[in-house]
Amino acid sequence: MSRSLSSALHRLFPALAVAGAVGASAVPALAADDDAWTDLRPMLFGERPISEAPGVVSLDAPYRAQDAAIVPITIEAKIPQTPERYIKTVTLVIDQNPVPVAAVFHLTPRIGLATLATRVRVNSYSNVRAIAETNDGALFMATKFVKATGGCSAPALKDQDAALARLGKMKLKPMKDEAVPGLRRVQLLISHPNNSGLQMDQITHLYVPPHYVTDIAVDYGDRTLMTVEGAISLSEDPSIHFYYRPDGADRMAVTVKDSENMTFEGSWPVAADAGS
Amino acid sequence: MARRASIERAAGLALLLLAGPAAAVEPPVDPLPVVEIAPGDYVHHGLHEEIAPDDGGDIANVGFIVGEQAVAVIDTGGSARIGARLLAAIRRVTDLPIRYVVNTHVHPDHVFGDAAFEASGAQFVGHANLPRALAARGAYYLAELQRTLGAAAEGSRVVAPDITVADRATLELGGRTLEVVAWPAAHTDNDLTVYDRASGTLWAGDLLFLKRTPVIDGSLNGWLAAIDELRRLPAERVVPGHGPVSAPWPRALDAEAGYLSTLRDEIRRIIARGGTIEQALKTAGQGSRADWLLFDRTNARNVVTAFTELEWE
C-alpha cells in the first residue's frame, strides 16, 4: 500500500511525545484557536492553496460530543468519483489532538462516491477538518468545531476482557439506508482497542502502551478500492462507512495492520449489482 | 452526655492524627449526614448532580456497616474532603477500627474519598479488574476532578486495592459477615456488591440506579444479565449507588431493568436495519425521558456505548 502520506503522520509523532510528558492534565482550550492549524498546515500541505469553498467536500460532526472517545464524523463528497475527476485523498485532522492526523483515506474512482463516515477521539475543544485532494492535485477543506474533552487520554474501553477476546475480528455490513443510485454502501468494523498510549497508571506511573491500527486495505474483486492510514485518534473498534460501485465482482477483502505488526484479514461476499 | 462528649473528643483526636501538624489551622470537619437504614447500616445520600464545586463531589451514596469488632466502609465519595467527612460521621457513631474500605467500582464519585482512609489502617477491597481500570482511567479522573473542583479536590488521589476479589469473598466484622460478589462487566467491568447478611441489606453500588439515569460504562448485555441474577438474592432492602438511601427489594430493580431493556431493544432494531449511531441518538431511549433525572447527556452517552457493544452481536 501507499506509504507516501504516512510520512505526514509520522512527522507529527513528536507531538505525541510532548503530550505524553505533559500528561492528561492539560486544561482544554476554551475555544478552538487556529494556532494549531497554522502549525500543522505547512507540515501536511506545504504552501499549496486550500480552497474552503463548498462544492467538493463537507463535514458533519456533533457540536458537542456525547462520548469524546467515540465521536461520529461524516465526510460528505459533493462530486461523484469518475475516472476523469475524483477525490484521490481525504485527510482527517483534529487540530487539538496529540496526534492531529486521525486518518488518511486513499480513494479510487471505483468507490463511486467519496462520502465516508468514521468515529474519532477528540481530546479537547477542537476544530475537525477534512481536506480532500482531487486527482488534479487541488485541495478542498471543510471544518467543524467539536466540543469534547479527554477523548485520547480518557477511558475508552468499557469492557476490557470482551475487547481483548475480540481483537482483530472484523465485520463488513451492508447498509440499507442512504441509497445512492448505482452504488452500495457498507460498514467495515474492526475490533481493536486502538490504545492511544496516553493513559498513565497512577500507581506504577507507567503508560499503558499504545497499540493501534496503522493500515487498512480494502479490495473489491481483485483490485484496490481504498486504503486507509490510521493512528490513535481513530476510536477503539475503528469503523468506516463507505460506498462502492458494484461492477459484477462479488467479494470484498480487507487487510488490517497494527502498530505491533499484527495483521488481520477478512473477506466477505458483497452485492455484485446495484439492485433496484 | 458524658459518653457523647467522649465520643466527640475521640473523633477530634482521630482527625488530629489523620490530618497531622496542619490540623491546628484546618477548620473542623463537618460529618456527613447519615441515616441508619437498618441496625448497623448507615448511608449518606449523594446529590443528583454532576461533580461540581457546590457539591464537592458528594454525588454518590456512600456509607458504612458496623460489626461487633470493626467497621467496613462502602465507597468513600467524590473527593478526599468528602471521605474525611464520612470518616467524621463514622466516628460519631463508633470508635471501632475501620477494617475494610470497599470500592464498588472505579468511578470518581465513589473512590476519590479513599485518601481520607489511608491512615486508618483499613484494607482497601476492590474487584480483580479494579487495578487495571485505575491504571487506564485514574490519571484522567484525577485531572478532571482537579479541574472541576479546584482546591476542593485537594488530597484526592488514586488508592490501589489491598484485596482484590475475582469471584466472591467474605469480610468479617465480628458477629457480622459481609458477602462480596465480583460481577462480570455490567455498569463497569469492575463492579462489586456487598451483602450484609445480618440485616438483609444489599449494597448494590452502581449496579442499581434509582431516579438518576443509569450510566452504562461496561456492558449493557452484562448489566441486564446481572440484574436477572441479582433478583434472586434474598435481601430485604437495597442501598443503590444513586437514589434513595434504602429501597425495597427486589422491586427497586424494575425501573432500571425497564430502561436498559427498552434501550437494548430499540438499538438492536436500528442496527438490524443498517442504521447508524447518529440515527440511534435521535430516538433510542427517548420514551424513558420523563422517568429519570439528568437524562439527556447520560442517555446520549448510553446510546453510543450500547450501540458499539450491540453492533458486535
Side-chain angles (χ1 to χ4, degrees):
Chain A
M1 75 171 294
S2 158
R3 303 297 315 175
S4 60
L5 263 155
S6 66
S7 59
L9 275 173
H10 294 139
R11 267 206 305 276
L12 293 169
F13 263 72
L16 172 61
V18 171
V22 174
S25 60
V27 174
L30 290 177
D33 61 60
D34 275 338
D35 294 354
W37 178 240
T38 308
D39 293 341
L40 287 166
R41 190 198 187 288
M43 282 196 272
L44 294 170
F45 300 105
E47 297 297 307
R48 298 164 64 189
I50 301 177
S51 166
E52 294 190 53
V56 174
V57 66
S58 72
L59 189 63
D60 190 24
Y63 177 64
R64 183 181 289 283
Q66 285 79 28
D67 181 341
I70 304 172
V71 182
I73 301 279
T74 300
I75 301 151
E76 200 180 333
K78 302 291 191 186
I79 59 169
Q81 298 284 94
T82 64
E84 296 73 36
R85 187 178 189 222
Y86 63 95
I87 295 173
K88 188 174 74 170
T89 309
V90 174
T91 305
L92 183 60
V93 178
I94 301 155
D95 284 10
Q96 304 291 337
N97 273 11
V99 179
V101 178
V104 183
F105 300 86
H106 303 275
L107 309 173
T108 62
R110 300 174 69 224
I111 67 165
L113 184 67
T115 291
L116 304 160
T118 189
R119 302 167 188 166
V120 296
R121 297 179 166 132
V122 180
N123 208 40
S124 63
Y125 290 15
S126 179
N127 278 321
V128 176
R129 301 164 194 277
I131 300 98
E133 179 175 0
T134 47
N135 59 323
D136 57 5
L139 297 170
F140 301 87
M141 179 165 76
T143 305
K144 269 271 158 67
F145 179 62
V146 174
K147 285 187 170 182
T149 310
C152 298
S153 45
L157 300 176
K158 270 82 181 177
D159 180 351
Q160 289 203 48
D161 293 326
L164 288 175
R166 219 176 46 209
L167 171 71
K169 284 207 173 121
M170 288 190 257
K171 280 191 169 195
L172 190 81
K173 297 200 229 184
M175 303 301 287
K176 291 162 196 161
D177 296 355
E178 304 170 70
V180 174
L183 304 183
R184 296 271 190 184
R185 186 167 158 89
V186 293
Q187 178 193 18
L188 171 64
L189 252 182
I190 303 160
S191 188
H192 199 288
N194 231 51
N195 278 350
S196 70
L198 292 176
Q199 298 114 353
M200 190 181 74
D201 185 330
Q202 285 293 282
I203 291 151
T204 62
H205 294 278
L206 298 174
Y207 281 90
V208 179
H211 183 199
Y212 56 92
V213 169
T214 55
D215 296 279
I216 304 166
V218 181
D219 290 350
Y220 172 49
D222 292 330
R223 290 185 296 151
T224 299
L225 186 71
M226 165 177 83
T227 62
V228 186
E229 295 170 64
I232 62 164
S233 292
L234 288 181
S235 300
E236 68 192 75
D237 296 343
S239 164
I240 304 170
H241 290 80
F242 58 92
Y243 286 96
Y244 69 98
R245 185 186 301 286
D247 62 7
D250 61 3
R251 280 200 91 73
M252 214 170 265
V254 174
T255 305
V256 172
K257 290 179 182 163
D258 75 16
S259 59
E260 294 189 354
N261 291 319
M262 298 170 88
T263 300
F264 311 102
E265 292 176 321
S267 162
W268 301 265
V270 291
D273 61 60
S276 50
Chain B
M1 276 320 284
R3 178 176 145 73
R4 168 130 198 118
S6 80
I7 289 173
E8 280 174 3
R9 264 202 309 279
L13 181 63
L15 289 168
L16 262 170
L17 291 172
L18 177 77
V25 292
E26 289 286 318
V29 176
D30 179 25
L32 284 182
V34 293
V35 181
E36 189 174 12
I37 58 148
D41 292 75
Y42 296 82
V43 187
H44 168 69
H45 179 255
L47 301 165
H48 295 305
E49 294 176 6
E50 305 296 351
I51 292 179
D54 283 354
D55 57 52
D58 178 19
I59 65 162
N61 292 343
V62 298
F64 53 97
I65 303 168
V66 183
E68 286 170 16
Q69 294 161 9
V71 177
V73 177
I74 318 293
D75 285 339
T76 57
S79 67
R81 196 166 288 185
I82 298 300
R85 291 182 61 196
L86 177 61
L87 177 56
I90 295 168
R91 287 298 169 236
R92 272 200 167 171
V93 170
T94 175
D95 293 332
L96 288 172
I98 297 167
R99 194 174 282 171
Y100 302 108
V101 172
V102 180
N103 286 134
T104 60
H105 63 292
V106 71
H107 283 160
D109 50 332
H110 298 260
V111 304
F112 274 134
D114 283 9
F117 293 90
E118 277 191 294
S120 71
Q123 298 219 280
F124 289 79
V125 182
H127 192 291
N129 288 340
L130 181 64
R132 181 177 76 178
L134 287 169
R137 300 170 170 224
Y140 172 75
Y141 284 159
L142 188 57
E144 277 296 292
L145 191 79
Q146 289 162 344
R147 186 179 70 83
T148 310
L149 293 187
E154 203 177 311
S156 308
R157 63 181 167 270
V158 170
V159 177
D162 303 301
I163 300 170
T164 58
V165 182
D167 180 24
R168 285 164 181 278
T170 54
L171 304 177
E172 293 296 340
L173 300 178
R176 196 156 195 151
T177 302
L178 308 183
E179 296 172 2
V180 179
V181 176
W183 293 86
H187 165 64
T188 65
D189 70 1
N190 50 88
D191 300 310
L192 286 186
T193 55
V194 178
Y195 180 53
D196 176 14
R197 217 187 285 161
S199 69
T201 303
L202 174 69
W203 295 66
D206 280 3
L207 285 180
L208 179 60
F209 281 68
L210 287 162
K211 296 190 174 176
R212 184 183 182 124
T213 313
V215 174
I216 308 167
D217 195 16
S219 162
L220 174 53
N221 283 329
W223 200 346
L224 283 162
I227 287 170
D228 285 344
E229 207 174 319
L230 275 167
R231 241 180 233 292
R232 294 204 286 266
L233 273 177
E236 287 174 34
R237 69 188 69 77
V238 62
V239 180
H242 299 273
V245 291
S246 175
W249 186 258
R251 214 161 62 236
L253 288 167
D254 295 349
E256 174 180 278
Y259 167 69
L260 294 175
S261 61
T262 303
L263 189 68
R264 176 166 72 178
D265 293 347
E266 290 174 358
I267 293 176
R268 275 180 174 163
R269 277 200 292 274
I270 292 165
I271 291 171
R273 60 163 198 266
T276 61
I277 287 180
E278 292 94 319
Q279 288 158 353
L281 278 167
K282 288 179 190 144
T283 57
Q286 290 301 325
S288 308
R289 193 170 187 279
D291 304 334
W292 297 94
L293 301 172
L294 304 170
F295 185 80
D296 289 341
R297 286 188 68 181
T298 301
N299 183 65
R301 242 188 107 97
N302 286 343
V303 169
V304 175
T305 302
F307 193 103
T308 54
E309 174 186 348
L310 298 175
E311 69 187 343
W312 286 99
E313 287 183 331

